[in-house]
Amino acid sequence: MPDSTDALETFRGEARAWLEENFPKSIAHRGSELIGMEHVAEDADLDLWCQRLGAKGWATPTWPSEYGGGGLSQLEAEVLRKEMSALGAFNPLTVKAGMGITMVGPTILEYGTEEQKQRHIPPICRGEVFWALGYSEPNAGSDLASLQCKAEDKGDHWLVNGQKTWTSGANIAQWIGCLVRTDPDAPKRDGISFLILDMNQPGIETRPIELIAGASPFCETFFNDATTPKGELLGPLNGGWTVGKRLLQHERASQTGARGAGGAAAKKSIHALAKEYVGTDAEGRVADPELRTRITAHLMNAKAQNLTLSRMIAEARGNAKVSATASIMKNAASDVSQERAELAIEILGHSGLGWEGDPFEDHELEAVRHWLSGKAISIYGGSYEIQNNIIAKNILGLPESTQRG
C-alpha cells in the first residue's frame, strides 16, 4: 500500500534526505523575496534549485512520471510539501512556468492527445517554458462565452484573428492556450474551441498593461493572421467551452491558498507587525484592544481556511480532480488575503502610505504594493460574484439565473 503509514514514513525519510542534499541553504525561507506573481529574481542558487527540482519531477509531484512528473500520490505530495516547508524550501517553477503547472498542464493531461502530452508536458515539468492564457476579451467582460476571437480551418492549420486582454505574462510566454470561436453560427457556448499557439510568430503582438501597483504582469494580446497546426486543437472541435471550464477549475484550485501580506512584511506575523508599529500594553499584548480583537478574528479565519484546505486535500486521497468546491476555497482565500493586507496597511499607519523614497523601509513599500495588487485576487480566475454563481448552481442546486445562451 503506497499510502500506508509505514510507506509514507519511508517516503518522508527519502524526501527529507533528498531535500537536505539538493536544496541550497542560501535561499531557505526566501521564497517570497525571490519569487512572486510578477517576477522571479536572478539568483544562481535559485536557478540551481529550479533545475534540480524540475529534473526530479517534484515541481509537479503528482503528475505521471512518464511525462516528467513526480508520480507521487496526493498523500506523498502532502508529505513532500511539509518537508519542503520545514526546510524553508519552496516551488519556484509554479511561477517560472506561468500558467503551465497550475492550469494548462493539468488540462492537457486530461484532454490532450498522446502527442500533445509528449510535446508539452515535459518542458512544463522542468520549468523550461512559460505559458499564458487567452481567455478574456475587451468587450466580453465576465461573459466569457461571448468571445469573438476566431479561428478558421485552413486545411492543415488554423488561422487566428482577434484580441485578448488581461493575458498574464503574454509578453514573455513561449506558448499560449486560447479559447477561440470556430463556429460563428452555433449557440455561443457551442461554437468555441481551445487552441494552443506558439507565441514566437509575427502574427502575435503583445502590449503590457500598467497596473495600479506599478507592475505590468498583464497584457493586451493581438492575433493578426496568427497560425497553429491542426494538431494543436485541445479537446474536441467546438467543445472548448467544456475544456475551458475545466481549466478554470484548476485555476481556482491553485488560488485556494491565502498569500498573506507579501514581500518582506510576510516574514513577520501580523501580531509582531502590530507590536512593532502600534506598541504593547503592560502585559506585552498589542496595545490597541480593538485592533487586537480584529487580528485574533483574522487569524481564526486564516486557520479555518487552512484547515479546511488541508481536509479537502486529505479527503481527495488519490483523486486529483478538482470540483466546484474550489470556488468556495477561492473566495475564502481572497477574503483572508485581502483582510491581512488591509490589516497590515492599517498597522503600518503613515508608513503604509509610501510609494517610494528614503522615509520608507523596503518592506513598507512592498506591503503597499501588495495591498494594491491584492485587489485583483477577488477578480482574476473568475470574480467573487462568478464564484458565488457557481456555488449557487453546482453546489446548492439553485436555478441558473445568468449567462444563458
Side-chain angles (χ1 to χ4, degrees):
M1 292 288 292
D3 288 339
S4 68
T5 300
D6 288 345
L8 285 177
E9 287 308 306
T10 298
F11 174 73
R12 186 187 306 279
E14 295 171 355
R16 184 176 300 167
W18 187 87
L19 290 168
E20 288 177 345
E21 181 178 353
N22 290 279
F23 176 63
K25 305 297 186 297
S26 66
I27 58 173
H29 303 288
R30 295 179 61 199
S32 61
E33 171 192 346
L34 295 172
I35 62 172
M37 185 178 69
E38 297 159 358
H39 78 283
V40 177
E42 293 186 8
D43 185 286
D45 281 348
L46 178 63
D47 290 342
L48 180 63
W49 175 231
C50 289
Q51 293 169 11
R52 289 173 174 174
L53 193 65
K56 184 70 172 176
W58 281 1
T60 49
T62 60
W63 290 17
S65 55
E66 61 264 37
Y67 303 120
L72 303 182
S73 68
Q74 290 289 327
L75 292 180
E76 287 174 325
E78 180 65 8
V79 168
L80 174 61
R81 185 190 67 76
K82 290 180 178 178
E83 290 303 313
M84 289 178 67
S85 179
L87 278 180
F90 49 90
N91 183 359
L93 271 64
T94 55
V95 175
K96 285 180 70 71
M99 311 297 181
I101 288 179
T102 53
M103 304 175 210
V104 179
T107 310
I108 292 176
L109 284 171
E110 188 168 355
Y111 288 95
T113 62
E114 182 62 25
E115 184 179 356
Q116 288 172 331
K117 294 175 186 177
Q118 294 287 353
R119 179 165 58 252
H120 293 298
I121 297 299
I124 293 175
C125 293
R126 296 190 296 267
E128 294 175 347
V129 292
F130 190 99
W131 280 78
L133 276 177
Y135 268 42
S136 300
E137 295 190 6
N139 298 315
S142 295
D143 186 8
L144 179 60
S146 67
L147 61 87
Q148 295 300 312
C149 184
K150 65 178 182 180
E152 300 173 74
D153 187 345
K154 294 296 182 181
D156 64 343
H157 68 277
W158 297 98
L159 185 68
V160 181
N161 281 283
Q163 179 186 352
K164 298 290 180 179
T165 190
W166 306 119
T167 43
S168 304
N171 55 329
I172 59 172
Q174 288 82 43
W175 292 94
I176 186 169
C178 271
L179 287 177
V180 294
R181 189 157 299 286
T182 43
D183 185 350
D185 299 322
K188 61 183 183 180
R189 294 183 183 179
D190 298 334
I192 294 172
S193 298
F194 191 111
L195 287 184
I196 295 171
L197 288 94
D198 186 345
M199 291 291 288
N200 185 27
Q201 59 173 297
I204 300 179
E205 177 189 359
T206 60
R207 301 174 188 171
I209 302 171
E210 186 172 358
L211 300 183
I212 190 173
S216 300
F218 300 109
C219 294
E220 293 177 290
T221 302
F222 300 87
F223 301 89
N224 298 301
D225 290 340
T227 63
T228 194
K230 295 291 287 290
E232 293 294 17
L233 172 69
L234 183 64
L237 178 62
N238 297 323
W241 183 249
T242 299
V243 179
K245 285 197 302 181
R246 190 62 172 163
L247 183 143
L248 287 174
Q249 285 186 311
H250 288 297
E251 179 181 29
R252 290 158 194 154
S254 73
Q255 296 168 351
T256 54
R259 61 174 180 154
K267 295 178 181 177
K268 298 181 180 180
S269 71
I270 200 74
H271 256 130
L273 204 64
K275 288 180 178 179
E276 179 180 343
Y277 281 83
V278 179
T280 58
D281 62 13
E283 298 179 28
R285 302 176 302 179
V286 175
D288 184 332
E290 192 270 340
L291 175 61
R292 197 166 63 230
T293 299
R294 289 165 55 207
I295 289 174
T296 301
H298 162 70
L299 294 177
M300 290 172 66
N301 289 337
K303 185 72 172 179
Q305 195 268 341
N306 282 328
L307 288 174
T308 305
L309 184 59
S310 296
R311 190 188 72 189
M312 288 173 58
I313 293 172
E315 288 178 348
R317 286 189 177 273
N319 178 13
K321 295 184 177 179
V322 293
S323 70
T325 57
S327 294
I328 298 176
M329 297 311 299
K330 201 262 184 181
N331 275 359
S334 297
D335 286 342
V336 170
S337 292
Q338 292 179 345
E339 186 178 64
R340 192 184 196 285
E342 293 281 352
L343 278 170
I345 289 297
E346 181 179 336
I347 289 168
L348 291 174
H350 70 275
S351 298
L353 299 175
W355 186 252
E356 61 184 4
D358 294 337
F360 301 100
E361 301 289 338
D362 288 345
H363 73 275
E364 295 168 346
L365 297 176
E366 290 177 21
V368 173
R369 282 163 170 72
H370 190 82
W371 170 66
L372 289 169
S373 66
K375 301 299 182 185
I377 298 174
S378 50
I379 300 175
Y380 59 60
S383 68
Y384 202 93
E385 291 74 16
I386 291 292
Q387 306 310 319
N388 281 340
N389 281 339
I390 294 171
I391 294 166
K393 177 184 174 184
N394 296 336
I395 297 178
L396 300 179
L398 299 177
E400 184 174 10
S401 60
T402 62
Q403 299 183 27
R404 291 186 181 280

